[in-house]
Amino acid sequence: MTRWGPGDDIDTLKAIAHIPSKADSILEIGSGKGLSTCLLAEYFNAQNTAIDNEPIAVTNLAELIDSKGFTKQVTPMCASMSELPFKANSFDAILAENCVYIMGFEEALKHWQTVLKTNG
């Protein structure tokens, strides 16, 4: 599988089209192999933090962003989506493809909204 879940670049582009172009900081939850991460880096001049709880995914992501020249723009982290290690009001936007179901939609939104900036 190219990705660890369903979807493709077209689906990711539809999702990121809803992120305001003025976003300076984006959190990607469940980055997996990093294909969406690279699209975010290509389309936004923002600081992107990409988390996954699978260490192999984070290692592969670090290698991928290095090969594509995104190391200054993307910070890969091994972290749990249910225990986000960020301060409140840290991000302008969150992208989470194919992982919200793990926590449940309402629980994920309630938990994750704390790291979004006002009007994020």
Side-chain angles (χ1 to χ4, degrees):
M1 287 176 57
T2 304
R3 294 173 179 248
W4 284 351
D8 56 23
D9 287 357
I10 294 170
D11 294 325
T12 300
L13 291 172
K14 286 179 187 176
I16 66 176
H18 296 282
I19 298 174
S21 59
K22 65 181 189 269
D24 291 325
S25 57
I26 302 171
L27 173 62
E28 182 187 7
I29 299 174
S31 59
K33 293 184 176 183
L35 301 176
S36 297
T37 309
C38 290
L39 284 173
L40 279 172
E42 288 175 24
Y43 282 84
F44 290 92
N45 185 25
Q47 184 58 46
N48 302 325
T49 301
I51 68 165
D52 202 289
N53 68 338
E54 175 55 54
I56 293 169
V58 177
T59 298
N60 290 340
L61 172 60
E63 292 171 359
L64 179 63
I65 62 173
D66 184 48
S67 73
K68 296 200 175 263
F70 295 137
T71 54
K72 291 183 181 178
Q73 190 177 357
V74 178
T75 303
M77 291 181 64
C78 192
S80 170
M81 70 175 77
S82 61
E83 297 177 18
L84 296 176
F86 308 108
K87 294 178 182 178
N89 304 310
S90 295
F91 298 97
D92 294 308
I94 296 174
L95 175 68
E97 293 184 294
N98 303 312
C99 67
V100 175
Y101 71 92
I102 294 169
M103 289 180 67
F105 191 75
E106 288 182 30
E107 184 64 24
L109 292 180
K110 186 171 77 174
H111 184 73
W112 298 346
Q113 76 177 358
T114 62
V115 299
L116 278 175
K117 293 178 183 175
T118 304
N119 298 321

